[in-house]
Amino acid sequence: MRGVPAGVFPAAYAGSGRRAVRVALAAAVGFYLFRYGLDSPVAATYALFGAVALGGLSRIPGTGRQRAAIMVRVLPVCWVLVIVGTWLSVRTWSAVAGMLAVGFALAFSAVGGPRPAGVAPGLQLLYILPSFPPYDPGSLDERLLGTTTGLVLLIAAEALIFPEPSPTPYRERTARAAETAAHCARTLTVGPYVLKPADRNAAEEASRGLRSLMVPEAERPAGPGVRVRALAHTGLAVRTLLNRLARLTGPSRAPQEREVADVLRAAAGLATATAQCLRAGTPLLESSEELSSARAALSALSAGTSGSGAGCPSGFGPAVLRRHAAVLEIADAALAMGAAADRAVRGRHAEVEVAPERFWYSGVPAPVLWWHRVRGHAGRRSVFFQNAVRIALALTAARLVAGIDTLPHGFWAMLATLSLTRTTLEATRHTIRLALTGTLAGALLTAGTLTLVGTHTDVYAVLLPLWMLLAFTVGPVRGVGWAQGLFTVLVALVFAQLAPSTWQLAEVRMLDVLIGSAIGAVFGLLAWPRGAHDELRRAAAELLRTAAEVVVATTSSVAGGAATAVPTAAPGQRSLHHAVVLAESAYAQFQSEPAPFTGAARGHPARSVDWQATLIAGHHTLWGSDRLLAPPVTELSAATARAVEALGERMAGRMLLVSAALDPGGDTPPTAVPRIDPVYPEFDAEPVGAPRRYYAVIEWLESLAADLTRISRGASPEVVARSDAGAAAGGSGSRELA
């Protein structure tokens, strides 16, 4: 392989080799125990395929011990699948109906996070195996015994053989980042009241370490439960706090006000307490109340008015008000961090109460939270729903064809459908081509082996564990072609020990893979053939359209007297939150899909768009709106109100312009994503008598302008440079999630 750096393949083979040893040992011990020790071919088959299902076909993230823990939890699910599959195999129509329901449910379980998504393919196989004739409920005890034995052996192998070092848990990563935030906040309390380059770099590194791409998949807080949601919220709040601290500018001339220093010291104390809470469960209420009091004192100082009634804080110029607004947002981020960490540790028994609308899930029962997650993705715009429909229909069709045509070893066709169907037509076509080539080579080798060895089962017994080691080591590294070819020989070695076999077994295997791959290709063509590529464009465009509505409504509400005033947690914000969720799920799948089918053929600039900047813009819109609409409401002068409304409408217009380029209408020619200039002269305006809330709005809109600039990767260097300069000068509100 040209262009592959030296050392990549040995490391990859080492990792897959360790896993191959575990799977091969569990599968071989279970198979030989029942086949030759207890003379139970049925139990032997289920013991082997049980270990192969969760050890080879599944891709459960984490270390061996983490995978073992997940397998223990899903063991009852495996029993249910074997029982249901056995009883529904009595008729083709019942087996087909069961395949449709179970296939969809298992595939859709990916909404629960990386672990359910990783284990789902193996559970599919455990249902496919008993759903074929012979209809023999009398052998159910053997099937359950074999399945249980194979899985118990695999669990023991995962937990005990080649133990792997555990990665740093997300909670510990968040605690370390909180300690970095505490150090930065203390540094800002002494002259020159800005962070040194080393401290800025440390803050940036700590923030980057909490990004999902930098966190092992098994450690990402992605589930719907209270503690998991709160831990994800804690990491997000810590990143926001770090970025705001890094961008805080020092006072222009006068020394820093005592109230500002009090807020920063209290924020540092709460960050330290947050780290201790995440590690040892220590209480946070006292530190949170201290910061709340310091924040209230600074807010009262900043909002003090002169006797003229014009709304101008006495003795403070615009630069001071901008700094006050930035420090108050630092306090908000720290308070949100503490409240989220308290819920991540104590769940529904949390003591800290800050902005309860942000933590709506705190008192919601777990089944209701799961229902919220499922309902949010139960629609054709969700990639999880699309994938579940695609795989369920493909498996159902494969089971129908196998039942009608009475294919020998028809479950091989379903296994091919399960393992070869991809989320895009292009990827499915490429995968099938490689799989058929590999299967043909494996079939030829199988035919030769069966012809030469004949009925000498002792030879197959010796070769099976060695071949399993080879197949599960080489297949994951070399790709689907090698995997299918090696697996073709593997299943022949298994079935040759269960019943006399001839070279025609290789012919059957080839036919089944051909049928299964053809069914996968058909449903890859019919059911959302472009996968997440098209869906991401639609989801991102819808996100920006909803964000534009919230921007207009929020700025109108801040200006006062607008008919579109939006209270906190209004339907518009709920719609934006849902749009962010759908866009994030589409983006997650988009990252796992190959690049060839990205829409260039239809003129859509998929590869020239920074999709993550779109998600960041959605988050900024949602959180900024929450902060600006929180009471108390400050009245603006007529001129200041008009300026705020005009800027909000202009920003919304830019969002709509970008959304139209991402997802143009049917009669609109596709265009490149426009290059948005983030530098608005109006951002530098300092209206006479403008209160701090005005400058908070300006900072929020500046951060959105910077996000829009980054959406187009084709933006000129000058525009990007101006965006970076504007984000740095804009203070706390810009690029919280960058």
Side-chain angles (χ1 to χ4, degrees):
M1 289 262 175
R2 274 178 260 165
V4 178
V8 170
F9 278 105
Y13 281 125
S16 64
R18 287 191 293 268
R19 190 167 187 177
V21 169
R22 301 184 187 115
V23 177
L25 183 61
V29 170
F31 182 79
Y32 292 146
L33 171 66
F34 290 108
R35 178 64 186 90
Y36 298 107
L38 302 176
D39 193 25
S40 176
V42 173
T45 302
Y46 279 78
L48 184 142
F49 279 101
V52 169
L54 293 193
L57 188 60
S58 294
R59 286 293 176 263
I60 306 174
T63 63
R65 293 182 182 273
Q66 290 173 324
R67 290 192 293 270
I70 295 171
M71 293 175 190
V72 170
R73 294 193 202 106
V74 302
L75 188 57
V77 179
C78 299
W79 295 334
V80 171
L81 293 174
V82 172
I83 293 172
V84 173
T86 298
W87 283 99
L88 291 182
S89 65
V90 58
R91 296 285 187 274
T92 297
W93 69 265
S94 61
V96 168
M99 186 59 62
L100 180 63
V102 174
F104 178 85
L106 292 177
F108 194 62
S109 67
V111 301
R115 291 180 177 89
V119 77
L123 296 179
Q124 298 272 22
L125 176 57
L126 284 177
Y127 179 77
I128 290 172
L129 186 61
S131 68
F132 282 87
Y135 173 63
D136 186 15
S139 66
L140 181 59
D141 55 345
E142 293 182 85
R143 295 181 178 188
L144 290 175
L145 178 61
T147 302
T148 304
T149 303
L151 292 180
V152 169
L153 289 171
L154 179 62
I155 291 169
E158 290 282 7
L160 301 176
I161 298 177
F162 300 129
E164 303 159 275
S166 299
T168 304
Y170 192 80
R171 180 177 290 190
E172 175 61 25
R173 289 171 177 261
T174 308
R176 294 176 184 177
E179 289 178 335
T180 302
H183 170 75
C184 293
R186 292 191 188 95
T187 302
L188 291 170
T189 61
V190 297
Y193 311 112
V194 293
L195 295 182
K196 300 176 183 178
D199 293 329
R200 289 177 182 270
N201 292 337
E204 182 180 353
E205 186 64 27
S207 177
R208 186 184 302 112
L210 294 178
R211 293 183 61 181
S212 59
L213 291 178
M214 306 297 293
V215 179
E217 195 173 13
E219 299 298 331
R220 298 173 191 170
V226 172
R227 285 182 169 86
V228 177
R229 286 177 184 265
L231 184 57
H233 201 160
T234 305
L236 212 53
V238 172
R239 291 187 62 196
T240 302
L241 177 61
L242 286 167
N243 281 273
R244 288 177 177 171
L245 290 168
R247 286 166 172 77
L248 182 64
T249 57
S252 54
R253 296 185 183 86
Q256 182 164 262
E257 296 91 349
R258 177 179 57 82
E259 289 80 2
V260 170
D262 288 345
V263 169
L264 293 173
R265 275 191 290 268
L270 181 55
T272 300
T274 297
Q276 295 172 350
C277 178
L278 291 171
R279 287 172 175 151
T282 55
L284 283 168
L285 184 59
E286 183 178 349
S287 298
S288 180
E289 290 177 344
E290 181 182 352
L291 178 55
S292 296
S293 299
R295 187 198 184 284
L298 178 59
S299 180
L301 174 69
S302 182
T305 58
S306 62
S308 63
C312 178
S314 58
F316 297 139
V320 175
L321 290 178
R322 287 181 186 267
R323 180 171 171 79
H324 284 181
V327 173
L328 289 172
E329 290 191 352
I330 288 174
D332 290 339
L335 289 170
M337 171 192 65
D342 197 28
R343 284 155 178 78
V345 174
R346 295 181 176 82
R348 296 180 178 85
H349 304 290
E351 301 173 343
V352 179
E353 290 295 339
V354 177
E357 66 277 356
R358 291 189 181 181
F359 306 102
W360 60 271
Y361 50 83
S362 296
V364 180
V368 178
L369 290 176
W370 269 99
W371 170 247
H372 275 286
R373 176 67 64 87
V374 170
R375 187 181 62 179
H377 287 282
R380 62 187 185 90
R381 293 275 71 93
S382 169
V383 292
F384 291 122
F385 180 83
Q386 294 176 4
N387 292 341
V389 169
R390 182 188 299 111
I391 195 65
L393 291 178
L395 290 176
T396 301
R399 180 62 182 89
L400 181 62
V401 170
I404 293 176
D405 289 348
T406 60
L407 285 175
H409 300 298
F411 81 95
W412 288 353
M414 295 193 66
L415 179 59
T417 302
L418 176 65
S419 58
L420 300 181
T421 302
R422 297 294 186 264
T423 56
T424 68
L425 176 61
E426 182 74 12
T428 300
R429 187 185 311 160
H430 178 71
T431 300
I432 289 174
R433 184 169 61 249
L434 294 176
L436 291 178
T437 303
T439 303
L440 177 60
L444 293 175
L445 181 58
T446 297
T449 302
L450 294 175
T451 301
L452 291 175
V453 178
T455 58
H456 299 313
T457 55
D458 53 340
V459 177
Y460 302 127
V462 172
L463 288 178
L464 178 60
L466 301 177
W467 196 265
M468 278 196 290
L469 281 175
L470 178 65
F472 293 126
T473 299
V474 176
V477 177
R478 298 303 297 267
V480 66
W482 281 81
Q484 286 293 323
L486 293 169
F487 193 74
T488 298
V489 179
L490 190 152
V491 295
L493 295 176
V494 171
F495 283 94
Q497 297 178 68
L498 298 174
S501 301
T502 66
W503 64 269
Q504 293 174 325
L505 183 66
E507 180 184 2
V508 172
R509 166 69 179 170
M510 187 68 197
L511 175 63
D512 286 336
V513 172
L514 181 62
I515 292 175
S517 60
I519 292 173
V522 169
F523 283 94
L525 173 64
L526 297 179
W528 299 283
R530 295 173 60 83
H533 297 105
D534 270 7
E535 199 54 55
L536 180 57
R537 291 190 299 102
R538 285 190 287 264
E542 180 62 26
L543 186 154
L544 290 177
R545 284 192 288 267
T546 309
E549 296 175 4
V550 173
V551 166
V552 171
T554 301
T555 52
S556 297
S557 181
V558 171
T564 54
V566 179
T568 303
Q573 291 173 319
R574 288 197 296 270
S575 298
L576 178 56
H577 176 76
H578 185 245
V580 169
V581 169
L582 291 181
E584 284 180 334
S585 62
Y587 177 64
Q589 179 174 310
F590 174 81
Q591 290 180 299
S592 67
E593 291 179 350
F597 211 64
T598 55
R602 284 172 30 184
H604 299 304
R607 305 307 296 182
S608 64
V609 176
D610 185 347
W611 298 107
Q612 194 173 38
T614 307
L615 303 179
I616 292 172
H619 280 291
H620 278 171
T621 304
L622 190 63
W623 294 349
S625 177
D626 283 341
R627 292 193 304 270
L628 293 172
L629 295 178
V633 176
T634 304
E635 293 292 335
L636 303 181
S637 65
T640 305
R642 286 195 298 270
V644 168
E645 285 187 306
L647 276 174
E649 292 171 359
R650 182 171 180 181
M651 182 58 60
R654 294 297 186 270
M655 288 180 166
L656 293 175
L657 187 64
V658 175
S659 71
L662 292 176
D663 188 26
D667 58 348
T668 304
T671 60
V673 177
R675 300 173 180 178
I676 302 299
D677 191 338
V679 181
Y680 294 5
E682 293 86 347
F683 286 159
D684 297 328
E686 298 174 351
V688 177
R692 173 177 48 82
R693 185 174 291 263
Y694 166 79
Y695 293 102
V697 173
I698 294 301
E699 289 190 358
W700 177 51
L701 296 177
E702 280 186 327
S703 72
L704 295 179
D707 296 336
L708 292 181
T709 300
R710 287 170 174 78
I711 291 176
S712 174
R713 287 180 173 171
S716 64
E718 294 80 5
V719 170
V720 174
R722 289 201 301 271
S723 170
D724 292 335
S732 63
S734 55
R735 299 184 65 201
E736 298 158 12
L737 297 176

